[in-house]
Amino acid sequence: NTGVLEKEEVVDWADTIISKDEKPDIFFIELALSSSKSINDVINYISNSLNCEQPVIQGSHLLGFLYKKFKTGNINLEQTVRLLFSLRDKAVFTYDEENRIYFIDDAFDLANNNIYGSLEDVEKETNEFLEVYKDYTIENFEQWQNLDEQLARKVDGQPRP
């Protein structure tokens, strides 16, 4: 579990699509039936269904979910930074994204221990970093591949891993 996206959110979303669509795609039926699978399996299924070249969890997608939880106040700054840091081992990020994650984690620890900087600065830095990924939502998963391409041009000019 990444802690960023709850499996129940995915299953409920798929159920909603099925209830509104006269002939729902098998993709949504599979998702609705995925309650016994892990959230990582569910996210991998979504990535595979989008024809992603690598069956891995894209960090950008998870950062979009994390942004939403942080921005709505569902998680505080410390929880956000800890989740962000833990995602490094659970998803694929670009070199620049990983560096920014390390920077935010270090800045939080320094500010939280009253060594250097302020938590307000870390919150601003965290928000600025995550805001780039705000367009990734579970509701627009079919646009993720296009968002990946736009993000690559906007952030680092490199293709997503």
Side-chain angles (χ1 to χ4, degrees):
N1 186 340
T2 62
V4 176
L5 181 64
E6 302 299 325
K7 181 173 42 177
E8 293 76 22
E9 291 177 276
V10 175
V11 172
D12 289 348
W13 168 68
D15 284 339
T16 301
I17 300 279
I18 291 169
S19 68
K20 292 180 180 178
D21 195 338
E22 193 173 303
K23 293 183 180 179
D25 190 285
I26 187 70
F27 171 79
F28 297 108
I29 295 168
E30 290 287 334
L31 276 180
L33 298 173
S34 65
S35 61
S36 64
K37 296 180 180 177
S38 75
I39 188 63
N40 289 343
D41 289 342
V42 172
I43 292 174
N44 280 332
Y45 175 71
I46 293 171
S47 294
N48 290 336
S49 296
L50 292 173
N51 296 320
C52 292
E53 291 179 15
Q54 299 176 16
V56 296
I57 301 171
Q58 292 294 316
S60 52
H61 307 162
L62 295 176
L63 294 176
F65 303 143
L66 184 59
Y67 171 80
K68 182 178 178 184
K69 284 191 172 219
F70 180 54
K71 200 65 177 167
T72 59
N74 288 334
I75 56 176
N76 63 30
L77 177 62
E78 182 173 7
Q79 293 167 317
T80 302
V81 171
R82 299 301 176 224
L83 273 171
L84 185 59
F85 193 73
S86 73
L87 288 177
R88 291 173 309 97
D89 300 326
K90 298 176 182 171
V92 175
F93 294 100
T94 66
Y95 178 78
D96 290 337
E97 288 168 335
E98 278 198 32
N99 280 341
R100 195 99 183 258
I101 290 169
Y102 279 112
F103 174 81
I104 289 170
D105 185 66
D106 288 343
F108 177 81
D109 287 340
L110 291 170
N112 198 38
N113 290 310
N114 297 314
I115 296 170
Y116 181 80
S118 71
L119 291 174
E120 292 78 21
D121 289 342
V122 176
E123 185 165 357
K124 182 180 176 194
E125 178 73 26
T126 303
N127 190 60
E128 286 174 2
F129 174 60
L130 293 176
E131 192 171 37
V132 172
Y133 306 93
K134 69 182 177 186
D135 293 332
Y136 290 98
T137 66
I138 195 159
E139 293 83 16
N140 73 351
F141 78 95
E142 67 281 346
Q143 297 173 23
W144 287 0
Q145 195 165 12
N146 185 43
L147 289 170
D148 285 344
E149 293 167 9
Q150 290 175 22
L151 182 65
R153 288 190 299 272
K154 186 186 332 181
V155 173
D156 52 21
Q158 301 296 316
R160 307 302 299 170

